[in-house]
Amino acid sequence: GLERLKSCIQQAREISRKLLNHGLPLLETQDPLRLILHTASVGINGFEADKWFLDRGLIAELPEPGCITFCLGFSPKKGVSDLINKHWQDLLASKQDITPFHDFVPPPSKRVVVPAVKPLRAFKGPTRIVALSEAVGEVVAELICPYPPGIPLLIPGEKIDQARGDWLVKQKKLWVGNVPDQLAVLK
């Protein structure tokens, strides 16, 4: 098993080198069996790139707003670098007037948030629906958790302040279809 792992890691490093030599924007990763294609660096949303690759038979493990991750795994990888490069070059050629995305901004909240209301009470309490853009000052009654990667942006019981509200509106543009236009909030 160890020899097989070493062989797969060597193959993955060679694939990565080939792709970098072709100019693909790969991000560094601690997992040698993963390739992270930094789509935002050229102004392409990772979800859009994922659909492009998927429509051409190449499946990414994890799409996100600014990148897609490919898992190379333990199977033979003959020609995969050429395939990724070809589809990436075709995607770039299909675009006009693209510019790199600005840096992603982390959420303006503490690492550990203490909800204003107990999450179960907020989740089961009486609610009303408000526009995301008008949710400042409200206590959210639902979980907002775009998948992938499945990390909550809001949990029931959190009170949305101005900075967090503005940040969520910006995230909606990045997580198209994954961050709602409207939120359930406590009455």
Side-chain angles (χ1 to χ4, degrees), residues 34-57:
R34 299 275 188 294
L35 295 174
I36 302 175
L37 184 56
H38 190 212
T39 61
S41 68
V42 296
I44 297 174
N45 185 295
F47 296 112
E48 181 183 356
D50 181 54
K51 181 175 179 352
W52 179 272
F53 281 103
L54 186 60
D55 288 348
R56 286 148 184 82

Side-chain angles (χ1 to χ4, degrees), residues 28-175:
E28 286 187 37
T29 175
Q30 293 178 341
D31 184 343
L33 297 178
R34 299 275 188 294
L35 295 174
I36 302 175
L37 184 56
H38 190 212
T39 61
S41 68
V42 296
I44 297 174
N45 185 295
F47 296 112
E48 181 183 356
D50 181 54
K51 181 175 179 352
W52 179 272
F53 281 103
L54 186 60
D55 288 348
R56 286 148 184 82
L58 193 57
I59 301 170
E61 176 186 39
L62 176 66
E64 296 182 74
C67 62
I68 55 175
T69 301
F70 293 98
C71 176
L72 297 175
F74 294 105
S75 63
K77 298 159 201 59
K78 292 180 182 176
V80 76
S81 60
D82 294 334
L83 193 59
I84 291 172
N85 182 49
K86 178 191 180 330
H87 292 323
W88 177 249
Q89 299 305 331
D90 290 348
L91 175 58
L92 290 177
S94 76
K95 299 291 180 185
Q96 294 179 4
D97 300 323
I98 53 177
T99 57
F101 292 169
H102 296 289
D103 290 337
F104 290 94
V105 178
S109 62
K110 301 171 188 165
R111 289 188 185 259
V112 177
V113 177
V114 177
V117 174
K118 289 185 179 184
L120 186 60
R121 179 173 165 250
F123 184 71
K124 290 192 170 194
T127 63
R128 62 188 174 87
I129 303 298
V130 298
L132 176 63
S133 60
E134 298 171 6
V136 172
E138 302 289 349
V139 174
V140 70
E142 63 182 307
L143 180 69
I144 307 300
C145 187
Y147 181 82
I151 299 170
L153 300 179
L154 285 175
I155 64 166
E158 283 189 73
K159 188 171 187 175
I160 304 173
D161 61 20
Q162 187 68 53
R164 189 82 178 272
D166 293 344
W167 182 83
L168 285 165
V169 168
K170 289 177 185 173
Q171 294 307 300
K172 183 176 177 354
K173 294 174 186 173
L174 295 172
W175 296 89

